[in-house]
Amino acid sequence: MTLILCATDGSPSAKKALAVACDLAKCKGAKLLILHVQRRHGGEATPDELQFYAKVEHMALSEATAFPAEAQRIASAAHAAAHEAGVDQVESLVVEGDPTRRISEIAKDRGADAVVVGSRGRSEVAGLLLGSVSHKVSQLVPCTCIIVR
Ligand SMILES: Nc1ncnc2c1ncn2[C@@H]1O[C@H](COP(=O)(O)OP(=O)(O)OP(=O)(O)O)[C@@H](O)[C@H]1O
Ligand SMILES: [Mg+2]
């Protein structure tokens, strides 16, 4: 096992997933690739006026991930946490698009040996054991997929 991909949306569940990914990377001497996928609004980058509107209207946390600064912050925080946990080789990446599709594509392109995700994310829908991203990723990636609960 040489490359472990951990996908994060910055949620508490993704933080648990990162802790497991770090343990695995250290145990195997593998590189850890941290990935955050920034969602797009209607396929376009969020215009400034909309970002301002969102702030004024206290737009929900899940929607806030469409902002580039927030996406960078999520990736940097995870990168720092992985270093802190003692993982030697860490790379973090922010890309745009549909989370499931991008996570699966990058896992394939990079030849990841395992993908680690949380069981839930930032959505506030209660009562589900599994979010749609973790569910779909587990169906799509060709490698081992660890869903952390
Ligand atoms: N935008 C993203 N970028 C990277 N990883 C993500 C992203 N969204 C979700 N994930 C990963 O998938 C895990 C599960 O999140 P998911 O989005 O499936 O649950 P949810 O937000 O509770 O539900 P849903 O989004 O289906 O309403 C997260 O813990 C994280 O590991
Ligand atoms: Mg989600």
Side-chain angles (χ1 to χ4, degrees):
M1 194 171 272
T2 57
L3 182 68
I4 294 158
L5 190 162
C6 181
T8 180
D9 60 353
S11 62
S13 179
K15 283 178 186 153
K16 278 194 192 174
L18 180 65
V20 170
C22 287
D23 282 347
L24 194 56
K26 284 190 286 181
C27 178
K28 295 288 182 185
K31 176 176 169 174
L32 178 65
L33 175 62
I34 291 165
L35 173 63
H36 176 65
V37 185
Q38 188 190 332
R39 285 182 193 273
R40 277 184 233 160
H41 281 297
E44 303 275 319
T46 313
D48 287 350
E49 317 84 73
L50 188 58
Q51 296 206 21
F52 177 72
Y53 175 78
K55 255 185 215 149
V56 174
E57 293 295 321
H58 306 289
M59 194 183 258
L61 200 61
S62 56
E63 297 293 322
T65 58
F67 303 148
E70 175 68 358
Q72 280 301 336
R73 194 196 58 75
I74 289 169
S76 307
H79 194 123
H83 262 305
E84 189 75 14
V87 183
D88 291 332
Q89 293 183 80
V90 187
E91 178 187 346
S92 52
L93 199 62
V94 176
V95 298
E96 271 192 18
D98 171 66
T100 302
R101 186 173 302 170
R102 300 299 279 134
I103 293 165
S104 311
E105 278 171 6
I106 290 166
K108 276 181 213 156
D109 290 353
R110 297 285 195 109
D113 299 291
V115 171
V116 186
V117 289
S119 55
R120 288 298 308 272
R122 298 170 80 151
S123 135
E124 275 145 26
V125 183
L128 294 177
L129 285 179
L130 213 55
S132 61
V133 174
S134 36
H135 177 76
K136 288 186 278 182
V137 163
S138 72
Q139 310 257 15
L140 283 172
V141 290
C143 61
T144 297
C145 178
I146 300 168
I147 299 176
V148 178
R149 185 164 287 137

